[in-house]
Amino acid sequence: MEGKANQPVIEFREVDYSLPSGRRLLHSLNLHVQRGETLVLLGRSGSGKTTTLKLINRLLSPTSGEVLVNGAPIGETDVIRLRRGIGYVIQDVGLFPHFSVERNIGLVPRIEGWPAQRIHERVEALLRMVGLDAEVAARYPHQLSGGQRQRVGVARALAADPEIVLMDEPFGALDALTRDQLQREFLELQRRLNKTVVFVTHDLREALRLGSRIALMDAGRLESVLSPEDFLRSSAPLPSALCKLLERV
């Protein structure tokens, strides 16, 4: 039983990914994500962060190697069931413009066959959880601010209570004040919900603030994995990928 508890929720084993042109975007990736942690994938554009994220919910498939979720190879898992168990938040939110906020948030529970009243109650609870008033439920995405849309995106990802949440630069397009507020709200949500989160960013400060561990990527390779505390205490020479990021800070 103890072995099961210690088993990674997500695991990459010698994963390569290449484009049809033959260009290799990931090189022999070995990485694991433990239950309840926020693993931040940190790196510059083109480092392989988003490619890695998309391999988890099978938006992409490895050229070689294996990705496992809860010990099962995802290539052998029904892709619809897999994706319904994984929340997904992206920078531009991806809300359906012709759906109300309530319908956007309740989409997966509706597909799962939840009763209408249960969906309504879940939407109300999630809006409160992400700091939005209940009246927002009747609005449409174009009637919301950027920060409100991002909150709705987080609520939608949590709607069916998935074990895993993938977040791809979710706060990157927001102004600094809104971004800071949403980062604080994310930390509070994670403290309460204890989800397994994989979070993509190129922002070092955001990685240090939000991550349980930080996986530093460069040119499709995993360069190091450190906790924020280990990073701040480290007296070893900085990895080259981190030096490149620090040039932008």
Side-chain angles (χ1 to χ4, degrees):
M1 193 73 179
E2 186 179 344
K4 181 77 171 175
N6 293 330
Q7 181 185 73
V9 176
I10 303 165
E11 189 173 3
F12 289 78
R13 295 180 179 172
E14 292 293 325
V15 171
D16 285 7
Y17 179 76
S18 298
L19 297 173
S21 65
R23 183 183 167 215
R24 204 168 167 193
L25 300 186
L26 286 181
H27 303 258
S28 302
L29 178 62
N30 289 288
L31 182 66
H32 67 271
V33 187
Q34 295 298 140
R35 193 172 309 280
E37 79 165 325
T38 299
L39 180 77
V40 173
L41 302 178
L42 175 68
R44 299 193 304 171
S45 296
S47 62
K49 308 182 304 295
T50 295
T51 299
T52 300
L53 199 74
K54 289 181 176 180
L55 287 165
I56 297 170
N57 61 359
R58 280 183 64 186
L59 289 175
L60 298 174
S61 297
T63 305
S64 63
E66 201 168 47
V67 182
L68 297 88
V69 170
N70 289 317
I74 62 174
E76 301 170 12
T77 305
D78 178 76
V79 69
I80 295 174
R81 297 305 312 165
L82 175 74
R83 289 176 184 166
R84 287 183 187 173
I86 298 176
Y88 192 39
V89 187
I90 57 177
Q91 184 177 122
D92 58 5
V93 185
L95 299 177
F96 293 103
H98 55 293
F99 283 8
S100 67
V101 166
E102 179 163 10
R103 196 172 174 196
N104 265 290
I105 295 173
L107 183 62
V108 173
R110 188 174 297 109
I111 292 170
E112 291 286 282
W114 290 23
Q117 184 58 31
R118 184 184 175 196
I119 294 173
H120 179 72
E121 290 169 358
R122 179 65 173 163
V123 169
E124 285 193 336
L126 284 166
L127 286 174
R128 286 195 301 272
M129 194 182 295
V130 299
L132 292 174
D133 295 331
E135 65 185 27
V136 170
R139 297 182 190 169
Y140 288 80
H142 73 273
Q143 298 173 310
L144 306 177
S145 69
Q148 287 174 323
R149 285 195 297 273
Q150 207 64 56
R151 287 181 172 87
V152 172
V154 172
R156 184 176 65 177
L158 296 172
D161 197 22
E163 177 184 17
I164 298 167
V165 180
L166 309 179
M167 307 184 79
D168 192 358
E169 301 271 11
F171 312 138
L174 302 173
D175 64 84
L177 189 61
T178 304
R179 184 170 187 162
D180 176 74
Q181 185 176 5
L182 284 176
Q183 287 171 350
R184 283 188 280 109
E185 290 172 1
F186 168 83
L187 287 169
E188 175 59 21
L189 275 176
Q190 179 63 339
R191 186 189 67 78
R192 291 164 57 192
L193 301 178
N194 199 39
K195 298 295 182 184
T196 301
V197 179
V198 183
F199 190 109
V200 164
T201 186
H202 63 268
D203 186 309
L204 178 58
R205 293 187 185 92
E206 184 166 72
L208 290 168
R209 186 178 194 183
L210 303 185
S212 309
R213 290 187 301 143
I214 299 168
L216 184 62
M217 301 189 70
D218 186 39
R221 290 182 170 84
L222 180 64
E223 192 154 332
S224 62
V225 182
L226 292 170
S227 70
E229 294 76 19
D230 286 342
F231 166 78
L232 292 171
R233 283 198 302 261
S234 177
S235 59
L238 295 176
S240 61
L242 193 51
C243 291
K244 293 172 188 174
L245 279 170
L246 287 170
E247 290 170 3
R248 301 173 53 181
V249 174

